[in-house]
Amino acid sequence: TFTAATIAGLVMAVAMFGAIAYLPTYLQMVSGLGAAGAGLVMLTLVAGLAVTSVGSAQIVRRTGQYVWLPVVGCALVAVALALLSTLTVGTELRVIGSYLFLLGAGIGCALEILVLVVQNACPPSQVGTATATYSFFREIGVALGSAVVGTIFTSRLLTLLADRVPRGTAAQLDPYALTPAQVVQYPDALKVPIVSSYNDALTPVFWCLMPLVLVSMAGLWLIRSVPLAAREPCSL
Protein backbone atom coordinates (compact mmCIF):
# COMPACT_ATOMS: atom_id res chain seq x y z
CA THR A 1 0.00 0.00 0.00
CA PHE A 2 2.77 2.40 0.93
CA THR A 3 4.73 1.68 -2.27
CA ALA A 4 1.69 1.97 -4.57
CA ALA A 5 0.56 5.24 -2.95
CA THR A 6 4.05 6.75 -3.07
CA ILE A 7 4.57 5.87 -6.74
CA ALA A 8 1.12 7.23 -7.55
CA GLY A 9 1.94 10.47 -5.74
CA LEU A 10 5.19 10.80 -7.68
CA VAL A 11 3.43 10.24 -11.02
CA MET A 12 0.63 12.66 -10.13
CA ALA A 13 3.24 15.30 -9.31
CA VAL A 14 4.94 14.69 -12.67
CA ALA A 15 1.62 15.13 -14.47
CA MET A 16 0.50 18.09 -12.38
CA PHE A 17 3.60 20.23 -12.55
CA GLY A 18 4.53 19.05 -16.03
CA ALA A 19 1.13 20.19 -17.25
CA ILE A 20 0.81 23.51 -15.44
CA ALA A 21 4.41 24.75 -15.63
CA TYR A 22 4.02 26.19 -19.12
CA LEU A 23 0.28 26.89 -19.18
CA PRO A 24 0.49 30.50 -17.92
CA THR A 25 2.99 31.35 -20.66
CA TYR A 26 0.88 29.39 -23.14
CA LEU A 27 -2.17 31.51 -22.30
CA GLN A 28 -0.16 34.69 -22.82
CA MET A 29 1.58 33.56 -25.97
CA VAL A 30 -1.29 31.80 -27.75
CA SER A 31 -4.42 33.44 -26.32
CA GLY A 32 -2.91 36.92 -26.14
CA LEU A 33 -3.62 37.45 -22.44
CA GLY A 34 -1.58 39.53 -20.06
CA ALA A 35 0.05 38.04 -17.00
CA ALA A 36 -2.93 38.94 -14.79
CA GLY A 37 -5.40 37.50 -17.29
CA ALA A 38 -3.47 34.25 -17.53
CA GLY A 39 -3.42 34.05 -13.74
CA LEU A 40 -7.19 34.49 -13.58
CA VAL A 41 -7.70 31.64 -16.06
CA MET A 42 -5.37 29.44 -13.99
CA LEU A 43 -7.62 30.10 -10.99
CA THR A 44 -10.10 27.65 -12.54
CA LEU A 45 -7.56 24.90 -11.82
CA VAL A 46 -7.24 26.12 -8.23
CA ALA A 47 -11.03 26.16 -7.92
CA GLY A 48 -11.32 22.56 -9.08
CA LEU A 49 -8.57 21.51 -6.69
CA ALA A 50 -10.18 23.31 -3.76
CA VAL A 51 -13.66 21.90 -4.38
CA THR A 52 -12.59 18.27 -4.61
CA SER A 53 -10.00 18.52 -1.81
CA VAL A 54 -12.68 19.70 0.61
CA GLY A 55 -15.29 17.35 -0.82
CA SER A 56 -13.08 14.27 -0.67
CA ALA A 57 -12.10 15.08 2.91
CA GLN A 58 -15.77 15.23 3.89
CA ILE A 59 -16.48 11.93 2.14
CA VAL A 60 -13.64 10.21 3.97
CA ARG A 61 -14.68 11.72 7.30
CA ARG A 62 -18.29 10.59 6.97
CA THR A 63 -17.88 7.19 5.29
CA GLY A 64 -14.37 6.08 6.19
CA GLN A 65 -13.91 5.00 2.56
CA TYR A 66 -10.94 6.41 0.68
CA VAL A 67 -9.38 3.84 -1.68
CA TRP A 68 -11.59 4.73 -4.66
CA LEU A 69 -10.97 8.49 -4.47
CA PRO A 70 -7.37 8.46 -5.85
CA VAL A 71 -8.53 6.16 -8.66
CA VAL A 72 -11.26 8.63 -9.61
CA GLY A 73 -8.75 11.47 -9.32
CA CYS A 74 -6.30 9.77 -11.68
CA ALA A 75 -9.10 9.11 -14.16
CA LEU A 76 -10.12 12.79 -14.10
CA VAL A 77 -6.51 13.91 -14.58
CA ALA A 78 -6.10 11.53 -17.53
CA VAL A 79 -9.27 12.87 -19.17
CA ALA A 80 -8.17 16.48 -18.55
CA LEU A 81 -4.75 15.83 -20.10
CA ALA A 82 -6.40 14.25 -23.14
CA LEU A 83 -8.63 17.31 -23.52
CA LEU A 84 -5.70 19.73 -23.08
CA SER A 85 -3.88 17.92 -25.88
CA THR A 86 -6.65 19.04 -28.26
CA LEU A 87 -6.11 22.78 -27.65
CA THR A 88 -5.65 24.94 -30.72
CA VAL A 89 -4.82 28.59 -31.28
CA GLY A 90 -8.54 29.35 -31.62
CA THR A 91 -9.77 27.51 -28.50
CA GLU A 92 -11.99 29.74 -26.38
CA LEU A 93 -10.89 30.68 -22.88
CA ARG A 94 -14.02 29.23 -21.28
CA VAL A 95 -13.17 25.87 -22.83
CA ILE A 96 -9.57 26.05 -21.58
CA GLY A 97 -10.87 27.03 -18.16
CA SER A 98 -13.21 24.03 -18.04
CA TYR A 99 -10.33 21.69 -18.90
CA LEU A 100 -8.20 23.24 -16.18
CA PHE A 101 -11.03 22.92 -13.66
CA LEU A 102 -11.26 19.21 -14.49
CA LEU A 103 -7.49 18.84 -14.07
CA GLY A 104 -7.63 20.55 -10.68
CA ALA A 105 -10.59 18.40 -9.64
CA GLY A 106 -8.64 15.24 -10.39
CA ILE A 107 -5.57 16.43 -8.52
CA GLY A 108 -7.67 17.45 -5.52
CA CYS A 109 -9.33 14.03 -5.43
CA ALA A 110 -6.06 12.12 -5.41
CA LEU A 111 -3.01 13.96 -4.17
CA GLU A 112 -3.91 14.67 -0.54
CA ILE A 113 -5.89 11.46 -0.08
CA LEU A 114 -2.70 9.58 -0.95
CA VAL A 115 -1.09 11.18 2.10
CA LEU A 116 -3.89 9.72 4.21
CA VAL A 117 -3.40 6.32 2.58
CA VAL A 118 0.31 6.37 3.42
CA GLN A 119 -0.27 7.47 7.01
CA ASN A 120 -3.05 4.96 7.61
CA ALA A 121 -0.94 2.06 6.29
CA CYS A 122 1.79 2.60 8.89
CA PRO A 123 1.94 2.08 12.64
CA PRO A 124 1.88 5.29 14.69
CA SER A 125 5.61 5.13 15.36
CA GLN A 126 6.35 5.32 11.61
CA VAL A 127 3.79 7.90 10.48
CA GLY A 128 6.32 10.74 10.43
CA THR A 129 8.87 8.75 8.45
CA ALA A 130 6.26 7.51 5.98
CA THR A 131 4.83 11.00 5.43
CA ALA A 132 8.29 12.50 4.91
CA THR A 133 9.22 9.74 2.45
CA TYR A 134 6.01 10.26 0.49
CA SER A 135 6.61 14.01 0.37
CA PHE A 136 10.21 13.48 -0.75
CA PHE A 137 9.20 11.31 -3.69
CA ARG A 138 6.41 13.71 -4.58
CA GLU A 139 8.97 16.51 -4.80
CA ILE A 140 11.06 14.29 -7.07
CA GLY A 141 7.97 14.07 -9.28
CA VAL A 142 7.70 17.85 -9.31
CA ALA A 143 11.31 18.16 -10.47
CA LEU A 144 10.96 15.40 -13.05
CA GLY A 145 7.74 16.84 -14.44
CA SER A 146 9.20 20.30 -14.93
CA ALA A 147 12.46 18.98 -16.40
CA VAL A 148 11.03 16.35 -18.75
CA VAL A 149 8.20 18.49 -20.06
CA GLY A 150 10.53 21.46 -20.46
CA THR A 151 13.03 19.40 -22.43
CA ILE A 152 10.42 17.88 -24.77
CA PHE A 153 8.61 21.17 -25.26
CA THR A 154 11.76 23.18 -25.99
CA SER A 155 13.05 20.60 -28.45
CA ARG A 156 9.76 20.52 -30.35
CA LEU A 157 9.45 24.31 -30.30
CA LEU A 158 12.91 24.83 -31.84
CA THR A 159 12.16 22.28 -34.55
CA LEU A 160 8.79 23.81 -35.42
CA LEU A 161 10.16 27.36 -35.46
CA ALA A 162 12.94 26.31 -37.81
CA ASP A 163 10.37 24.80 -40.17
CA ARG A 164 7.68 27.51 -40.00
CA VAL A 165 9.35 30.89 -39.53
CA PRO A 166 10.03 32.50 -42.95
CA ARG A 167 13.71 32.60 -43.76
CA GLY A 168 13.61 36.32 -44.41
CA THR A 169 12.41 37.08 -40.88
CA ALA A 170 14.29 34.37 -38.98
CA ALA A 171 17.17 36.77 -38.31
CA GLN A 172 14.86 38.84 -36.07
CA LEU A 173 14.10 35.86 -33.86
CA ASP A 174 16.00 34.52 -30.86
CA PRO A 175 14.09 31.34 -29.94
CA TYR A 176 15.74 31.23 -26.51
CA ALA A 177 14.48 34.70 -25.57
CA LEU A 178 10.86 34.61 -26.74
CA THR A 179 8.44 36.44 -24.46
CA PRO A 180 4.73 37.19 -24.94
CA ALA A 181 5.48 40.94 -24.79
CA GLN A 182 7.89 40.60 -27.72
CA VAL A 183 5.71 38.31 -29.82
CA VAL A 184 2.68 40.60 -29.65
CA GLN A 185 4.76 43.34 -31.33
CA TYR A 186 5.96 41.17 -34.21
CA PRO A 187 4.36 41.46 -37.66
CA ASP A 188 1.87 38.74 -38.57
CA ALA A 189 4.39 37.08 -40.87
CA LEU A 190 6.47 36.29 -37.80
CA LYS A 191 3.82 36.23 -35.07
CA VAL A 192 1.51 33.63 -36.62
CA PRO A 193 4.13 30.87 -37.06
CA ILE A 194 5.50 31.52 -33.57
CA VAL A 195 2.08 31.21 -31.95
CA SER A 196 1.17 28.08 -33.91
CA SER A 197 4.56 26.55 -33.12
CA TYR A 198 4.12 27.25 -29.42
CA ASN A 199 0.70 25.59 -29.44
CA ASP A 200 1.79 22.57 -31.44
CA ALA A 201 4.93 22.10 -29.34
CA LEU A 202 3.12 22.01 -26.00
CA THR A 203 -0.19 20.22 -26.59
CA PRO A 204 1.29 16.81 -27.56
CA VAL A 205 3.18 16.79 -24.27
CA PHE A 206 -0.15 16.56 -22.45
CA TRP A 207 -0.98 13.43 -24.43
CA CYS A 208 2.40 11.93 -23.51
CA LEU A 209 1.70 12.50 -19.80
CA MET A 210 -1.65 10.70 -19.94
CA PRO A 211 -0.26 7.10 -20.07
CA LEU A 212 1.78 7.81 -16.92
CA VAL A 213 -1.39 8.72 -15.06
CA LEU A 214 -3.19 5.62 -16.35
CA VAL A 215 -0.34 3.40 -15.16
CA SER A 216 -0.52 5.11 -11.79
CA MET A 217 -4.27 4.51 -11.67
CA ALA A 218 -3.73 0.81 -12.37
CA GLY A 219 -1.20 0.62 -9.54
CA LEU A 220 -3.68 2.13 -7.11
CA TRP A 221 -5.72 -1.07 -7.24
CA LEU A 222 -2.90 -2.62 -5.18
CA ILE A 223 -3.90 -0.45 -2.22
CA ARG A 224 -5.65 -2.45 0.48
CA SER A 225 -8.70 -0.94 2.13
CA VAL A 226 -7.75 -0.61 5.78
CA PRO A 227 -10.15 0.97 8.30
CA LEU A 228 -9.06 4.45 9.26
CA ALA A 229 -6.96 4.44 12.38
CA ALA A 230 -8.51 6.16 15.37
CA ARG A 231 -6.06 8.66 16.83
CA GLU A 232 -6.39 9.99 20.32
CA PRO A 233 -6.58 13.80 20.32
CA CYS A 234 -3.52 15.55 21.66
CA SER A 235 -4.02 17.19 25.07
CA LEU A 236 -2.70 20.68 25.57
Side-chain angles (χ1 to χ4, degrees), residues 5 8 10 13 16 20 22 42 44 61 64 80 95 108 126-127 133 151 155 179 192 199 215 226 231:
L10 186 151
M16 176 182 176
I20 68 177
Y22 289 90
M42 292 299 295
T44 57
R61 184 178 69 85
V95 175
Q126 297 179 6
V127 167
T133 303
T151 300
S155 176
T179 65
V192 171
N199 180 87
V215 170
V226 180
R231 308 291 186 193

Side-chain angles (χ1 to χ4, degrees), residues 4-26:
T6 301
I7 292 175
L10 186 151
V11 173
M12 287 290 290
V14 170
M16 176 182 176
F17 286 90
I20 68 177
Y22 289 90
L23 278 171
T25 308
Y26 173 90

Side-chain angles (χ1 to χ4, degrees), residues 80-182:
L81 291 173
L83 292 172
L84 287 170
S85 71
T86 66
L87 294 179
T88 65
V89 174
T91 303
E92 296 181 4
L93 290 178
R94 61 183 178 84
V95 175
I96 299 175
S98 65
Y99 295 168
L100 293 178
F101 181 89
L102 185 63
L103 178 63
I107 294 169
C109 252
L111 210 54
E112 295 307 318
I113 295 297
L114 289 172
V115 179
L116 174 65
V117 171
V118 166
Q119 293 175 340
N120 199 56
C122 300
S125 62
Q126 297 179 6
V127 167
T129 302
T131 305
T133 303
Y134 171 83
S135 299
F136 173 72
F137 279 100
R138 189 168 69 177
E139 291 305 313
I140 289 177
V142 171
L144 283 175
S146 302
V148 171
V149 169
T151 300
I152 297 173
F153 165 69
T154 303
S155 176
R156 286 182 53 83
L157 179 61
L158 293 175
T159 301
L160 290 172
L161 287 174
D163 291 340
R164 296 180 181 181
V165 173
R167 294 184 181 276
T169 58
Q172 307 176 30
L173 182 66
D174 179 3
Y176 294 100
L178 281 177
T179 65
Q182 290 176 333

Side-chain angles (χ1 to χ4, degrees), residues 42-53 100-101 104-105:
M42 292 299 295
L43 282 178
T44 57
L45 184 147
V46 178
L49 195 153
V51 168
T52 53
S53 292
L100 293 178
F101 181 89

Side-chain angles (χ1 to χ4, degrees), residues 204-231:
V205 178
F206 299 136
W207 184 261
C208 294
L209 291 172
M210 186 179 64
L212 288 176
V213 179
L214 294 177
V215 170
S216 174
M217 183 172 66
L220 287 173
W221 292 109
L222 298 174
I223 293 177
R224 293 182 296 109
S225 181
V226 180
L228 289 175
R231 308 291 186 193

